[in-house]
Amino acid sequence: GLTSAVDIREPAWIGTWALVAGPMRQLHAPFRDLDVSKAPGSDFDELRAAHDRLKKEHGEITATWKEWDDKTKAEYFDLVGGTTGRPPEVEVEPWDEPDEGEKLRASARPPEPATRVALSRFRPHTLVEAKELLPLAEFTSKHEFLHQAQRRFTTVVHNRNWRDLAVELAKEGSAGSRSAPRGKKGKAQAKGRERARHAAWR
């Protein structure tokens, strides 16, 4: 399902700072020494808390997926990974260094094929590697992972929602309930409606 705008507010906030922290240092003298990992103020405190929370959740989700993949018998195959590549034509921002465009064009990559993997149950394969969730101290650098930082952190939220839904359904199954409770006319009762509003479907 699509991840709701409410759920991605923290990745969006982090992604915004990933885009503007560097240019702010270059374009506005009072921010010349800005380091969002150390800057004082409640807004920066909340930013650091959100960043730490998503990094922690990434580690927990990674451990869950590994446990599922290692302990259960493979039942089907799925295509995992693969990329569409990075086009050679890129947009260079006004604040980029003169050679920044050449660096980006040089980083163009061809598409990569997906890998056929044996799986025991469905789970998303969109979670990025931990190294792509850069520390806040790197937000004023020229690191390639600052590009699309919001998308990278949003993968944590999307995978977390799917994990939580899977755990919820497993608990219902172990309790002997394999479908939402139904009324006399076949309409889903409250529990079914609550599941339909689960974050994984939003």
Side-chain angles (χ1 to χ4, degrees):
L2 295 175
T3 306
S4 76
V6 173
D7 285 348
I8 65 171
R9 62 188 183 279
E10 289 186 345
W13 192 16
I14 293 170
T16 297
W17 275 106
L19 291 176
V20 304
M24 284 176 64
R25 283 174 50 138
Q26 297 179 36
L27 298 175
H28 195 43
F31 295 127
R32 195 74 70 200
D33 298 321
L34 175 66
D35 181 349
V36 294
S37 69
K38 300 177 181 178
S42 59
D43 289 340
F44 290 108
D45 289 341
E46 292 178 13
L47 174 66
R48 287 186 283 268
H51 184 272
D52 291 344
R53 186 160 42 249
L54 289 173
K55 291 276 287 185
K56 179 181 178 182
E57 288 182 343
H58 181 280
E60 294 171 348
I61 296 165
T62 299
T64 298
W65 290 166
K66 185 177 188 305
E67 179 183 1
W68 288 8
D69 293 345
D70 289 348
K71 289 187 177 181
T72 50
K73 179 182 178 182
E75 299 290 346
Y76 75 102
F77 291 87
D78 198 0
L79 293 177
V80 177
T83 67
T84 57
R86 179 180 294 167
E89 296 301 323
V90 297
E91 182 178 353
V92 181
E93 302 293 352
W95 54 76
D96 284 332
E97 297 176 1
D99 62 343
E100 188 67 19
E102 291 303 320
K103 290 180 181 177
L104 291 173
R105 278 185 280 273
S107 68
R109 301 170 183 168
E112 298 177 1
T115 304
R116 189 169 181 261
V117 178
L119 299 170
S120 58
R121 66 184 86 179
F122 172 79
R123 66 172 179 81
H125 292 276
T126 55
L127 190 66
V128 299
E129 295 182 39
K131 66 180 182 182
E132 296 189 35
L133 305 181
L134 293 180
L136 292 174
E138 293 285 331
F139 277 26
T140 53
S141 69
K142 293 289 185 178
H143 201 290
E144 64 173 318
F145 291 152
L146 290 177
H147 296 276
Q148 297 186 334
Q150 176 178 330
R151 180 191 64 78
R152 300 178 198 280
F153 279 89
T154 297
T155 66
V156 178
V157 177
H158 179 67
N159 279 260
R160 179 194 67 203
N161 289 348
W162 271 106
R163 179 203 59 190
D164 293 349
L165 176 63
V167 171
E168 177 184 320
L169 293 177
K171 288 180 179 178
E172 288 186 19
S174 63
S177 173
R178 300 199 177 270
S179 62
R182 315 297 291 188
K184 292 183 179 180
K185 295 183 179 180
K187 294 184 178 179
Q189 294 180 347
K191 193 170 185 179
R193 290 195 296 272
E194 290 174 4
R195 184 190 303 161
R197 291 194 293 270
H198 194 283
W201 304 125
R202 299 200 303 248

